């Protein structure tokens, strides 16, 4: 765990090096506060490969529905380092061999959470490629300003690829500037499938993320905290949207560290 904590700032610095750090105007005087909107889209696998892992059938889906509200509750709009104002929106879909969008992007927890609570497992096959494709279309259609992330909760197994394949659709999402995290719903996973979904480096976007702690039914809050830390830290380097290197200063770096990149 100490190695992971040390690795994150190192990877972040490596990602920032190619950018022209001179664009960052760090002034000790009156500095204009900058907006940094972050959009988080949840993709939930409610197919048989997930739902049938436990008895009763719905119980693992219910665990996912416990995990996401805890995640959402931590997404508080906040001013970081007295310079960057982070705001959040969240949306989601769930899927099997069909896709159901349960919420468009919204900043309202009162709107989002009841819609999440209402979803039921769909059963049948697992077409993860179509789910990722639908997520990308939703973000494009809603013209979501800011930095876009997807949290894909699945075991990595698929039963078909009618939308061109999971790897291809993940690459298309990445081409649109969407960064994908892969989170396991249980210990029974196909790890290669999860790695095909997740962005590189996997130390940030896969990293053994899970909805529950190992051998327990307790929600893995550490997974949530690490993903949010990565989102905030990497918001600065998204290639799309109005947020650029000058819009979102990574909160995990101090101003002194940022200056050292010059």
């Amino acid at each position: 765990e100490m190695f992971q904590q040390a690795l994150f700032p190192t990877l972040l610095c490596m990602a920032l090096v190619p950018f022209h750090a001179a664009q960052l105007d760090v002034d000790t005087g009156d500095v204009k506060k900058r907006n940094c909107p972050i959009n988080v889209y949840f993709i939930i696998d409610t197919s048989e490969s997930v739902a049938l892992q436990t008895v009763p059938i719905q119980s693992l889906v219910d665990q996912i529905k416990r995990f996401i509200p805890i995640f959402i509750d931590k997404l508080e709009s906040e001013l970081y380092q007295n310079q960057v104002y982070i705001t959040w929106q969240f949306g989601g879909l769930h899927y099997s061999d069909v896709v159901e969008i349960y919420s468009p992007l919204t900043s309202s927890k009162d709107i989002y959470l009841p819609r999440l609570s209402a979803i039921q497992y769909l059963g049948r096959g697992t077409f993860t490629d179509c789910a990722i494709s639908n997520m990308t279309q939703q973000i494009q259609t809603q013209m979501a300003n800011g930095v876009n992330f997807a949290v894909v909760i699945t075991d990595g197994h698929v039963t078909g690829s009618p939308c061109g394949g999971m790897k291809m659709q993940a690459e298309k999402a990445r081409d649109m500037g969407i960064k994908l995290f892969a989170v396991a719903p249980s210990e029974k996973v196909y790890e290669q499938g999860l790695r095909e979904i997740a962005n590189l480096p996997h130390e940030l976007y896969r990293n053994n993320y899970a909805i529950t702690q190992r051998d327990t039914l307790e929600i893995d809050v550490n997974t949530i905290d690490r993903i949010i830390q990565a989102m905030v830290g990497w918001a600065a380097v998204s290639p799309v949207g109005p947020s650029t290197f000058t819009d979102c200063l990574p909160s995990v770096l101090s101003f002194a560290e940022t200056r050292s990149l010059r």
Side-chain angles (χ1 to χ4, degrees):
E1 184 176 348
M2 290 180 63
F3 173 76
Q4 291 177 345
Q5 291 174 350
L7 180 63
F8 178 81
T10 302
L11 291 169
L12 182 59
C13 287
M14 290 172 61
L16 288 171
V17 167
F19 285 80
H20 298 291
Q23 291 178 338
L24 181 59
D25 183 17
V26 180
D27 193 347
T28 56
D30 185 20
V31 180
K32 180 181 178 181
K33 294 179 176 60
R34 295 161 179 162
N35 290 324
C36 183
I38 301 178
N39 305 306
V40 184
Y41 204 96
F42 292 92
I43 300 176
I44 307 170
D45 183 347
T46 56
S47 68
E48 286 186 1
S49 70
V50 169
L52 295 184
Q53 288 186 24
T54 56
V55 177
I57 292 175
Q58 178 76 16
S59 60
L60 191 52
V61 175
D62 289 339
Q63 287 291 91
I64 297 172
K65 288 160 63 176
R66 287 181 53 221
F67 173 86
I68 294 177
I70 295 173
F71 195 116
I72 294 294
D73 193 53
K74 289 176 175 283
L75 303 183
E76 295 291 343
S77 296
E78 191 170 348
L79 182 65
Y80 285 88
Q81 297 187 352
N82 201 36
Q83 263 207 324
V84 182
Y85 192 67
I86 302 287
T87 58
W88 300 90
Q89 287 197 111
F90 24 84
L93 62 80
H94 70 119
Y95 73 97
S96 59
D97 54 6
V98 296
V99 174
E100 293 187 1
I101 298 161
Y102 64 84
S103 177
L105 286 170
T106 177
S107 60
S108 172
K109 297 175 185 178
D110 291 337
I111 292 174
Y112 179 86
L113 293 176
R115 292 178 177 178
L116 169 70
S117 180
I119 70 172
Q120 302 292 323
Y121 90 98
L122 294 170
R124 303 189 301 273
T126 311
F127 297 167
T128 303
D129 57 344
C130 296
I132 295 173
S133 175
N134 271 267
M135 173 275 297
T136 304
Q137 291 172 13
Q138 285 294 304
I139 289 178
Q140 286 181 285
T141 300
Q142 295 177 55
M143 300 181 66
N145 291 327
V147 186
N148 297 308
F149 295 97
V151 177
V152 186
I153 304 174
T154 182
D155 59 5
H157 293 282
V158 300
T159 60
S161 302
C163 295
M166 184 166 61
K167 185 174 182 178
M168 186 189 81
Q169 289 300 338
E171 289 296 337
K172 283 187 175 182
R174 283 189 269 278
D175 289 343
M176 295 301 302
I178 303 168
K179 299 184 182 297
L180 292 86
F181 292 87
V183 179
S186 71
E187 295 176 24
K188 300 176 182 178
V189 298
Y190 175 53
E191 186 61 34
Q192 182 58 37
L194 294 174
R195 287 174 171 262
E196 287 182 7
I197 294 169
N199 273 53
L200 294 174
H202 289 141
E203 289 83 0
L204 287 179
Y205 293 97
R206 174 65 191 106
N207 203 10
N208 297 318
Y209 297 135
I211 66 166
T212 57
Q213 300 173 26
R214 189 173 182 84
D215 299 324
T216 76
L217 295 178
E218 295 297 318
I219 297 300
D220 191 344
V221 177
N222 181 256
T223 282
I224 295 171
D225 290 339
R226 286 187 292 140
I227 290 176
I228 293 174
Q229 181 188 21
M231 286 177 175
V232 172
W234 285 79
V237 296
S238 175
V240 297
S243 296
T244 64
F245 191 56
T246 57
D247 291 323
C248 299
L249 177 69
S251 65
V252 295
L253 288 179
S254 68
F255 291 145
E257 288 173 314
T258 305
R259 285 182 176 182
S260 71
L261 296 173
R262 295 183 177 181

